[in-house]
PDB file of all heavy atoms in Angstrom:
ATOM      1  N   GLN P 177       0.867  26.728 -17.283  1.00  0.00           N
ATOM      2  CA  GLN P 177       0.308  27.148 -18.570  1.00  0.00           C
ATOM      3  C   GLN P 177      -1.203  27.312 -18.476  1.00  0.00           C
ATOM      4  O   GLN P 177      -1.771  28.268 -19.026  1.00  0.00           O
ATOM      5  CB  GLN P 177       0.662  26.129 -19.653  1.00  0.00           C
ATOM      6  CG  GLN P 177       2.148  26.085 -20.002  1.00  0.00           C
ATOM      7  CD  GLN P 177       2.460  24.995 -21.012  1.00  0.00           C
ATOM      8  OE1 GLN P 177       2.442  23.815 -20.684  1.00  0.00           O
ATOM      9  NE2 GLN P 177       2.747  25.388 -22.241  1.00  0.00           N
ATOM     10  N   LEU P 178      -1.864  26.385 -17.790  1.00  0.00           N
ATOM     11  CA  LEU P 178      -3.302  26.528 -17.596  1.00  0.00           C
ATOM     12  C   LEU P 178      -3.622  27.779 -16.791  1.00  0.00           C
ATOM     13  O   LEU P 178      -4.548  28.531 -17.116  1.00  0.00           O
ATOM     14  CB  LEU P 178      -3.856  25.289 -16.888  1.00  0.00           C
ATOM     15  CG  LEU P 178      -3.890  23.983 -17.685  1.00  0.00           C
ATOM     16  CD1 LEU P 178      -4.236  22.814 -16.775  1.00  0.00           C
ATOM     17  CD2 LEU P 178      -4.869  24.063 -18.836  1.00  0.00           C
ATOM     18  N   ASP P 181      -3.083  30.952 -18.921  1.00  0.00           N
ATOM     19  CA  ASP P 181      -3.712  30.930 -20.250  1.00  0.00           C
ATOM     20  C   ASP P 181      -2.676  30.890 -21.367  1.00  0.00           C
ATOM     21  O   ASP P 181      -2.900  31.423 -22.461  1.00  0.00           O
ATOM     22  CB  ASP P 181      -4.637  32.138 -20.437  1.00  0.00           C
ATOM     23  CG  ASP P 181      -5.771  32.150 -19.419  1.00  0.00           C
ATOM     24  OD1 ASP P 181      -6.311  31.073 -19.125  1.00  0.00           O
ATOM     25  OD2 ASP P 181      -6.088  33.248 -18.912  1.00  0.00           O
ATOM     26  N   ASP P 182      -1.576  30.230 -21.100  1.00  0.00           N
ATOM     27  CA  ASP P 182      -0.499  30.086 -22.074  1.00  0.00           C
ATOM     28  C   ASP P 182      -0.663  28.725 -22.755  1.00  0.00           C
ATOM     29  O   ASP P 182       0.059  27.771 -22.472  1.00  0.00           O
ATOM     30  CB  ASP P 182       0.852  30.195 -21.362  1.00  0.00           C
ATOM     31  CG  ASP P 182       2.035  30.024 -22.304  1.00  0.00           C
ATOM     32  OD1 ASP P 182       1.858  30.205 -23.522  1.00  0.00           O
ATOM     33  OD2 ASP P 182       3.144  29.698 -21.811  1.00  0.00           O
ATOM     34  N   LEU P 183      -1.611  28.625 -23.640  1.00  0.00           N
ATOM     35  CA  LEU P 183      -2.041  27.345 -24.196  1.00  0.00           C
ATOM     36  C   LEU P 183      -1.520  27.185 -25.628  1.00  0.00           C
ATOM     37  O   LEU P 183      -2.055  27.785 -26.560  1.00  0.00           O
ATOM     38  CB  LEU P 183      -3.563  27.239 -24.168  1.00  0.00           C
ATOM     39  CG  LEU P 183      -4.221  27.475 -22.800  1.00  0.00           C
ATOM     40  CD1 LEU P 183      -5.731  27.367 -22.910  1.00  0.00           C
ATOM     41  CD2 LEU P 183      -3.673  26.510 -21.755  1.00  0.00           C
ATOM     42  N   ASP P 184      -0.512  26.371 -25.782  1.00  0.00           N
ATOM     43  CA  ASP P 184       0.091  26.115 -27.086  1.00  0.00           C
ATOM     44  C   ASP P 184      -0.208  24.671 -27.478  1.00  0.00           C
ATOM     45  O   ASP P 184       0.269  23.742 -26.826  1.00  0.00           O
ATOM     46  CB  ASP P 184       1.605  26.336 -27.011  1.00  0.00           C
ATOM     47  CG  ASP P 184       2.276  26.219 -28.361  1.00  0.00           C
ATOM     48  OD1 ASP P 184       1.676  25.688 -29.307  1.00  0.00           O
ATOM     49  OD2 ASP P 184       3.444  26.666 -28.477  1.00  0.00           O
ATOM     50  N   PRO P 185      -0.992  24.449 -28.537  1.00  0.00           N
ATOM     51  CA  PRO P 185      -1.327  23.068 -28.912  1.00  0.00           C
ATOM     52  C   PRO P 185      -0.123  22.213 -29.253  1.00  0.00           C
ATOM     53  O   PRO P 185      -0.173  20.991 -29.103  1.00  0.00           O
ATOM     54  CB  PRO P 185      -2.250  23.245 -30.124  1.00  0.00           C
ATOM     55  CG  PRO P 185      -2.026  24.638 -30.603  1.00  0.00           C
ATOM     56  CD  PRO P 185      -1.636  25.436 -29.406  1.00  0.00           C
ATOM     57  N   PHE P 201      -8.119  25.880 -29.503  1.00  0.00           N
ATOM     58  CA  PHE P 201      -7.489  24.941 -28.577  1.00  0.00           C
ATOM     59  C   PHE P 201      -8.081  25.095 -27.183  1.00  0.00           C
ATOM     60  O   PHE P 201      -8.222  24.112 -26.450  1.00  0.00           O
ATOM     61  CB  PHE P 201      -5.975  25.161 -28.555  1.00  0.00           C
ATOM     62  CG  PHE P 201      -5.237  24.129 -27.755  1.00  0.00           C
ATOM     63  CD1 PHE P 201      -5.354  22.780 -28.042  1.00  0.00           C
ATOM     64  CD2 PHE P 201      -4.403  24.507 -26.702  1.00  0.00           C
ATOM     65  CE1 PHE P 201      -4.681  21.822 -27.306  1.00  0.00           C
ATOM     66  CE2 PHE P 201      -3.727  23.552 -25.960  1.00  0.00           C
ATOM     67  CZ  PHE P 201      -3.864  22.212 -26.267  1.00  0.00           C
ATOM     68  N   GLU P 202      -8.437  26.303 -26.819  1.00  0.00           N
ATOM     69  CA  GLU P 202      -9.095  26.556 -25.526  1.00  0.00           C
ATOM     70  C   GLU P 202     -10.370  25.716 -25.411  1.00  0.00           C
ATOM     71  O   GLU P 202     -10.614  25.075 -24.383  1.00  0.00           O
ATOM     72  CB  GLU P 202      -9.447  28.040 -25.409  1.00  0.00           C
ATOM     73  CG  GLU P 202     -10.347  28.408 -24.254  1.00  0.00           C
ATOM     74  CD  GLU P 202      -9.614  28.627 -22.946  1.00  0.00           C
ATOM     75  OE1 GLU P 202      -8.404  28.911 -22.988  1.00  0.00           O
ATOM     76  OE2 GLU P 202     -10.267  28.513 -21.893  1.00  0.00           O
ATOM     77  N   LEU P 205      -9.563  21.952 -25.127  1.00  0.00           N
ATOM     78  CA  LEU P 205      -8.878  21.598 -23.889  1.00  0.00           C
ATOM     79  C   LEU P 205      -9.783  21.703 -22.664  1.00  0.00           C
ATOM     80  O   LEU P 205      -9.732  20.837 -21.777  1.00  0.00           O
ATOM     81  CB  LEU P 205      -7.658  22.503 -23.707  1.00  0.00           C
ATOM     82  CG  LEU P 205      -6.696  22.185 -22.578  1.00  0.00           C
ATOM     83  CD1 LEU P 205      -5.912  20.914 -22.893  1.00  0.00           C
ATOM     84  CD2 LEU P 205      -5.741  23.352 -22.343  1.00  0.00           C
ATOM     85  N   ARG P 206     -10.600  22.769 -22.601  1.00  0.00           N
ATOM     86  CA  ARG P 206     -11.402  22.979 -21.390  1.00  0.00           C
ATOM     87  C   ARG P 206     -12.729  23.680 -21.664  1.00  0.00           C
ATOM     88  O   ARG P 206     -13.323  24.278 -20.778  1.00  0.00           O
ATOM     89  CB  ARG P 206     -10.594  23.746 -20.347  1.00  0.00           C
ATOM     90  CG  ARG P 206     -10.016  25.075 -20.816  1.00  0.00           C
ATOM     91  CD  ARG P 206      -9.074  25.655 -19.771  1.00  0.00           C
ATOM     92  NE  ARG P 206      -8.521  26.952 -20.195  1.00  0.00           N
ATOM     93  CZ  ARG P 206      -7.580  27.632 -19.533  1.00  0.00           C
ATOM     94  NH1 ARG P 206      -7.081  27.141 -18.407  1.00  0.00           N
ATOM     95  NH2 ARG P 206      -7.133  28.800 -19.973  1.00  0.00           N
TER      96      ARG P 206
END
Side-chain angles (χ1 to χ4, degrees):
Q177 292 176 287
L178 290 170
D181 299 320
D182 179 20
L183 306 179
D184 186 344
F201 187 57
E202 169 84 22
L205 188 71
R206 55 188 181 186

